Amino acid sequence: MKVWTISYDGNECQPVIIDEQYKQPYPQLIFLLDGKKFFVEFENRSDHRMCTSGKYVNVEVISWNRSIRQKGTSILK
């Protein structure tokens, strides 16, 4: 079973994926970790595809109310 790994601000987590939204131009994933929802936003669809192929890509980690944005990395392995 493949697991998403999200790294940001010196932290690494493996949250549960709730939804995938392939919006243009920024695909988003919605995750749940410790009872809190958050978004992971990719720069483009190519980055999303690379991530699902086992490559680390740069992402933006966004709080559920969109007030906090942090740079991070993501991979599906």
Side-chain angles (χ1 to χ4, degrees):
M1 180 173 144
K2 292 190 172 191
V3 176
W4 285 96
T5 302
I6 312 296
S7 301
Y8 64 96
D9 195 30
N11 300 314
E12 184 173 288
C13 62
Q14 295 179 331
V16 176
I17 189 161
I18 297 174
D19 192 19
E20 296 182 68
Q21 301 175 0
Y22 301 105
K23 297 178 181 178
Q24 283 290 359
Y26 309 109
Q28 291 182 342
L29 305 178
I30 299 174
F31 288 102
L32 180 66
L33 181 67
D34 298 332
K36 296 181 182 179
K37 293 180 185 178
F38 65 95
F39 298 94
V40 169
E41 188 172 272
F42 295 87
E43 291 183 17
N44 53 52
R45 295 183 97 185
S46 295
D47 281 357
H48 178 265
R49 281 192 300 272
M50 284 187 348
C51 185
T52 59
S53 298
K55 307 253 191 275
Y56 281 97
V57 296
N58 293 325
V59 295
E60 192 162 23
V61 180
I62 306 167
S63 65
W64 187 246
N65 65 4
R66 299 192 179 273
S67 63
I68 301 171
R69 293 176 172 261
Q70 297 179 323
K71 299 293 183 187
T73 60
S74 179
I75 189 170
L76 179 62
K77 45 180 171 172

